[in-house]
Amino acid sequence: MTSIDAPASLSRPTASSPTTGTDPSGTRTAHSGTGTGTGARTAPAGVDPAELHGPVLAWFDRHARDLPWRRPEAGAWGVMVSEFMLQQTPVVRVLPVYEQWLARWPRPADLAAEPPGEAVRAWGRLGYPRRALRLHAAAVAIRDRHRGDVPSDHGQLLALPGVGEYTAAAVASFAYGQRHPVLDTNVRRVLARAASGVQYPPNATTAAERRLARELLPDDEATAARWAAASMELGALVCTAKNEDCGRCPVADRCAWLLAGKPAHDGPPRRGQTYAGTDRQVRGRLLAVLRDSPGPVPQSALDAVWDEPVQRGRALDGLVSDGLVEPLDGGRYRLPLT
């Protein structure tokens, strides 16, 4: 996950959440370790989980953003849609697309009844459009396997198309108030600084990070769900990748990284993202032509959006291979119908 900003859990209980305070990811690359239960835990050396929980949860009570997927009416489907959309995409870009999506497809069966190309069309310019196909496939599976209701069981969530460890844990936690470590980049960064004393987490999630997240997870399910949301929000708004605002941090006085003098990152270079001139940019332009057309488009319409023929052809071949574009006879193309 990259780190722009990430959603937190609902700031109020959902209809399907316990009334004791269940709460349910901007840009984010998502990772999650599994693990539920309330057995004895061994806290990391020098870290008292209780010293982190109280201040962060109190901060979240005061500063959680009012976002539509946090509201009770969003339900589990709204939470799932937000989780798909917010991966590697900032909240400000997701908001209008999310609201249009839920207005058009308020339940999984509504989306499942449409061709997958309509999901790609409605995805607009959120980027990484394969997420739209995966969300459509998940909606079909929810309709066919679960009578149209997003399952609450972590294993059943994980079995849905396009749902990995992070999304399964996030939906189970944020929509249903269950106890799971929910690890996106924002959470990983908060734990790396507050508990491990380093500026940034590793490029890829490690077993040690998953173990730390489990050890810091509150035992009570409702509190654990709220902690997942609160730590994510803290990373999104305060403990950011750049220009962190330690003066606003509720655990600044016990943050291992800050207490160590904020030592600079000394691990592998952090991966950056580029867009201009890449195949991703070409793919986006080709898809924009198809989204804007009510029917198939000729090759000439696609050729007009990018001058370099080799890169254009490679990008178009990739879209076809990914199932985002269907080639037709006569050199025409359309968004997928099946």
Side-chain angles (χ1 to χ4, degrees):
M1 238 189 231
T2 56
S3 57
I4 297 178
D5 63 354
S9 72
L10 299 174
S11 57
R12 293 173 295 281
T14 66
S16 56
S17 303
T19 56
T20 52
T22 300
D23 295 81
S25 175
T27 299
R28 68 174 180 259
T29 299
H31 304 273
S32 170
T34 58
T36 57
T38 57
R41 293 176 291 111
T42 302
V47 177
D48 181 354
E51 290 188 355
L52 299 178
H53 296 159
V56 172
L57 292 172
W59 172 88
F60 184 63
D61 286 341
R62 296 190 301 273
H63 298 289
R65 290 169 291 178
D66 179 20
L67 297 171
W69 46 85
R70 297 180 181 167
R71 299 168 189 160
E73 60 268 24
W77 174 238
V79 171
M80 175 173 279
V81 170
S82 75
E83 288 300 330
F84 272 79
M85 290 185 173
L86 286 160
Q87 294 171 24
Q88 299 178 298
T89 307
V91 165
V92 67
R93 290 180 58 199
V94 166
L95 281 169
V97 180
Y98 172 89
E99 291 173 344
Q100 292 165 11
W101 191 284
L102 268 295
R104 181 174 178 180
W105 298 309
R107 291 186 54 80
D110 300 318
L111 175 59
E114 297 265 19
E118 286 305 300
V120 176
R121 193 188 310 278
W123 198 255
R125 297 184 179 275
L126 287 182
Y128 302 97
R130 276 178 289 182
R131 291 179 293 166
L133 291 182
R134 292 167 182 158
L135 184 52
H136 182 275
V140 171
I142 291 168
R143 178 196 64 190
D144 295 346
R145 302 177 198 168
H146 303 287
R147 300 181 179 180
D149 293 323
V150 176
S152 60
D153 178 77
H154 179 270
Q156 292 179 337
L157 286 165
L158 196 56
L160 294 174
V163 174
E165 280 288 348
Y166 168 79
T167 303
V171 173
S173 178
F174 297 165
Y176 293 113
Q178 297 176 14
R179 183 180 184 271
H180 295 276
V182 182
L183 278 173
D184 80 334
T185 292
N186 290 293
V187 175
R188 294 175 63 221
R189 188 169 55 253
V190 167
L191 299 188
R193 292 174 179 174
S196 301
V198 295
Q199 184 177 16
Y200 298 117
N203 285 337
T205 308
T206 66
E209 286 182 279
R210 294 188 176 96
R211 183 169 58 252
L212 174 61
R214 289 194 297 269
E215 290 169 343
L216 292 178
L217 200 61
D219 289 332
D220 173 71
E221 281 206 337
T223 307
R226 192 166 186 80
W227 163 255
S231 55
M232 188 178 290
E233 189 83 327
L234 184 64
L237 300 182
V238 175
C239 193
T240 51
K242 297 179 180 180
N243 303 316
E244 65 280 349
D245 191 351
C246 297
R248 293 176 53 219
C249 179
V251 292
D253 62 341
R254 65 209 75 184
C255 172
W257 182 57
L258 183 58
L259 293 175
K262 300 173 72 170
H265 177 66
D266 64 355
R270 300 178 68 235
R271 294 189 296 263
Q273 289 188 330
T274 58
Y275 182 72
T278 64
D279 284 4
R280 276 188 58 221
Q281 183 181 25
V282 184
R283 285 164 61 103
R285 291 194 178 183
L286 296 174
L287 272 182
V289 174
L290 293 161
R291 283 197 310 268
D292 293 342
S293 173
V297 302
Q299 178 77 52
S300 59
L302 300 177
D303 292 345
V305 301
W306 198 260
D307 292 335
E308 209 290 303
V310 174
Q311 188 179 28
R312 185 180 65 238
R314 182 172 65 243
L316 181 57
D317 288 345
L319 290 171
V320 172
S321 177
D322 289 342
L324 290 162
V325 173
E326 285 187 3
L328 303 174
D329 293 338
R332 298 174 304 146
Y333 297 86
R334 71 182 179 195
L335 295 177
L337 295 182
T338 59

